[in-house]
Amino acid sequence: MSIQIVATKPFPGQRPGTSGLRKKVSVFQQPSYLENFVQSVFDTLGDCAGKTLVLGGDGRYHNREAVQTILHMAAAHGFARVLVGQGGILSTPAVSCVIRKHGALGGIVLSASHNPGGPDGDFGIKYNIAAGGPAPESVTEAVFHRTESISLYRISDAAAIDIDRIGTSRIEQMDVEVIDPVADYAELMQRLFDFDAIKALFGSGFRMCFDGMHAVSGPYAKAILEGMLGAPAGTVINGVPLEDFGGHHPDPNPVNASQLIAVMAEDDAPDFGAASDGDGDRNMIVARKFEVTPSDSLAVLAANATLAPGYRAGLKGIARSMPTSRAADRVAEALGIPCYETPTGWKFFGTLLDAGKATLCGEESYGTGSDHIREKDGLWAVLFWLNLLAVTGKSVQQLVDEHWARFGRNYYSRHDYEAVASEAANELMASLRIKLPTLAGQDLGHYVVDFADDFEYTDPVDGSVATQQGIRIVMTNGSRIVFRLSGTGTEGATLRVYLERYEADPTYHHLLTQQALAALILIAEQVGGITGWTGRARPTVIT
């Protein structure tokens, strides 16, 4: 074995987005492409002698090859130990958990999250810091600038190691520990939730369907739900991770998790349904013929948090991304705790969690989590709901209906226009920014504009500022329209339009969502000129 120094040249466009560097698999398969980025991460970290690194991914196509490359580069950079999930598998929440438990310097997550997999699909990589969360912008920008000037990378020429057998082996002077990907995470979940109550719930005949979407959460769900909690065999469907996710889009929403939605629409459907995404950090909650929005899920969990052992002492605060509905704000007000509104991107919650300002966090994009780790956590949210159902003896719909009766309902929907030409999407946003100063006070059908702005955030902990985080048009009655370009796709741009209407009157709590939002949908088209700019008569996906 020896360490090779390999000459290389920069690749353009290796700037990480809100969730790391995501590109087509074919891009990552280019010689030296992955190596350049990994070396840039290691160069940014500096001296790693004696340090521990955590490594794993969601099992998508190119995961195993990337794991071997990174292991051999880590050995060349002086790491003392790498903890890698068996088979190269670790969910994103589990990476955060393992980093924190074992005092690692950080971790590398190999995933493009909810994006499609397979040879023609997407691949991704991101670095998580010692606190367990995504690297802040100061680090990712430093990595990007290093990719622009890189001229060499270091890698061991040792043979590939067996990552399918649990145990320890060596590359150069570095220990490679292949670990059970579920064990540390399951131990943490058992401390947070009332497993005895949930086990008794399943023992009473309670039925559930969990859709692993042939992604990373399947083995975690089988081990915890069917193994530790006694759910009947077959509770977990699509539970084996596949490199192409079975040819499906591993994004847990009613469109992509259509098999689960169909199961839960039957007259004899299970009592509870849930799904998670490619890397296990998102969740969807459904009941028999009833879907819970992510915004409502965060609010219900916050309102009932003390029913779970890990949150019995109460919440310090709640944080939500700006596009997420204001349902959680109403809960925070009732509890007398702050609710922080941040830009989209879980990294913005990290400083709040580390400073003890927030306990629960959530995003409208099916992401919910807490201060137990520094990532959103799909299975954690599912277990939290099971805890509430077990302790209260109520159904999902009962809990949600009672919540609406107490706090009012925030009708909410997101309209996605995917793979829009980047130039057209940017011009749409620019045209909206020009209109912002003139919108306040305008009468738009049933609504009057209270204010309109381009959301800017100053972190209350470290004072960092994030600008141009989404255009908000807020009405005098609290209804909102938000326009934002997403940074998680790999082709063109995705325009997201978020629509929210608050309704206090229980008489109007069971309208069809798109019907309830119809007037706001029309205003969004009129103000934004969506059809003209995108050439799309309707959204690609409505959630």
Side-chain angles (χ1 to χ4, degrees), residues 67 72 77 93-94 116 149 152 234 308 310 316 334 350 395 482 504-505:
V67 165
H72 288 73
H77 196 69
S149 61
L152 59 86
K316 300 168 186 174
S395 69
V482 174
D505 188 347

Side-chain angles (χ1 to χ4, degrees), residues 166-250:
I166 291 177
T168 302
S169 56
R170 286 178 74 81
I171 301 176
E172 306 295 343
Q173 302 304 308
M174 183 184 79
D175 287 334
V176 178
E177 293 184 26
V178 178
I179 63 172
D180 179 338
V182 178
D184 287 339
Y185 178 84
E187 178 186 63
L188 177 58
M189 294 302 104
Q190 195 164 17
R191 295 204 306 268
L192 295 175
F193 301 113
D194 189 340
F195 271 32
D196 288 339
I198 299 172
K199 192 179 299 185
L201 179 68
F202 282 120
S204 70
F206 181 89
R207 294 185 300 132
M208 174 185 178
C209 181
F210 180 94
D211 188 352
M213 304 191 82
H214 285 305
V216 77
S217 63
Y220 293 83
K222 285 188 74 68
I224 296 173
L225 297 177
E226 296 185 9
M228 299 174 71
L229 294 173
T235 292
V236 178
I237 62 173
N238 302 320
V240 178
L242 300 176
E243 289 189 333
D244 66 348
F245 307 115
H248 299 296
H249 192 164

Side-chain angles (χ1 to χ4, degrees), residues 252-304:
N253 61 48
V255 176
N256 293 313
S258 56
Q259 182 181 354
L260 174 65
I261 295 299
V263 168
M264 299 305 296
E266 298 290 339
D267 290 337
D268 62 343
D271 303 286
F272 182 56
S276 189
D277 71 328
D279 64 331
D281 64 354
R282 301 184 184 216
N283 72 93
M284 179 175 70
I285 302 298
V286 294
R288 191 176 294 143
K289 300 181 180 181
F290 186 79
E291 300 164 14
V292 182
T293 70
S295 297
D296 278 342
S297 181
L298 172 63
V300 171
L301 295 182
N304 296 278

Side-chain angles (χ1 to χ4, degrees), residues 181-457:
V182 178
D184 287 339
Y185 178 84
E187 178 186 63
L188 177 58
M189 294 302 104
Q190 195 164 17
R191 295 204 306 268
L192 295 175
F193 301 113
D194 189 340
F195 271 32
D196 288 339
I198 299 172
K199 192 179 299 185
L201 179 68
F202 282 120
S204 70
F206 181 89
R207 294 185 300 132
M208 174 185 178
C209 181
F210 180 94
D211 188 352
M213 304 191 82
H214 285 305
V216 77
S217 63
Y220 293 83
K222 285 188 74 68
I224 296 173
L225 297 177
E226 296 185 9
M228 299 174 71
L229 294 173
T235 292
V236 178
I237 62 173
N238 302 320
V240 178
L242 300 176
E243 289 189 333
D244 66 348
F245 307 115
H248 299 296
H249 192 164
D251 191 358
N253 61 48
V255 176
N256 293 313
S258 56
Q259 182 181 354
L260 174 65
I261 295 299
V263 168
M264 299 305 296
E266 298 290 339
D267 290 337
D268 62 343
D271 303 286
F272 182 56
S276 189
D277 71 328
D279 64 331
D281 64 354
R282 301 184 184 216
N283 72 93
M284 179 175 70
I285 302 298
V286 294
R288 191 176 294 143
K289 300 181 180 181
F290 186 79
E291 300 164 14
V292 182
T293 70
S295 297
D296 278 342
S297 181
L298 172 63
V300 171
L301 295 182
N304 296 278
T306 55
L307 297 178
Y311 305 93
R312 202 147 278 157
L315 307 180
K316 300 168 186 174
I318 304 170
R320 63 165 178 83
S321 64
M322 181 273 287
T324 302
S325 95
R326 292 169 159 179
D329 301 44
R330 300 180 185 280
V331 175
E333 183 180 7
L335 295 176
I337 58 176
C339 186
Y340 299 92
E341 184 178 40
T342 76
T344 296
W346 206 261
K347 61 187 177 183
F348 291 103
F349 295 143
T351 55
L352 298 171
L353 295 170
D354 289 342
K357 290 182 174 293
T359 306
L360 296 191
C361 305
E363 295 182 331
E364 49 71 35
S365 52
Y366 294 88
T368 327
S370 84
D371 58 0
H372 68 293
I373 57 172
R374 294 300 181 267
E375 290 278 7
K376 49 186 176 281
D377 191 346
L379 189 53
W380 167 90
V382 174
L383 292 168
F384 209 142
W385 271 96
L386 284 169
N387 197 136
L388 299 189
L389 298 174
V391 171
T392 65
K394 296 175 181 177
S395 69
V396 171
Q397 185 158 358
Q398 278 180 294
L399 287 172
V400 174
D401 282 345
E402 289 177 5
H403 184 90
W404 290 342
R406 179 182 176 190
F407 295 102
R409 178 175 182 181
N410 290 70
Y411 281 100
Y412 186 84
S413 183
R414 189 180 89 190
H415 290 197
D416 288 356
Y417 298 81
E418 297 178 345
V420 174
S422 296
E423 183 178 355
N426 287 324
E427 287 177 350
L428 183 154
M429 296 297 285
S431 71
L432 280 169
R433 291 188 180 102
I434 292 171
K435 294 177 182 177
L436 287 177
T438 67
L439 287 175
Q442 279 197 29
D443 191 335
L444 300 176
H446 299 294
Y447 298 94
V448 175
V449 178
D450 183 21
F451 69 90
D453 66 5
D454 197 348
F455 182 59
E456 181 175 302
Y457 177 70

Side-chain angles (χ1 to χ4, degrees), residues 497-515:
V497 182
Y498 310 85
L499 306 137
E500 178 180 7
R501 167 191 160 187
Y502 177 68
E503 181 56 66
D505 188 347
T507 306
Y508 299 102
H509 281 177
H510 292 281
L511 303 175
L512 296 174
T513 298
Q514 301 307 310
Q515 174 187 330

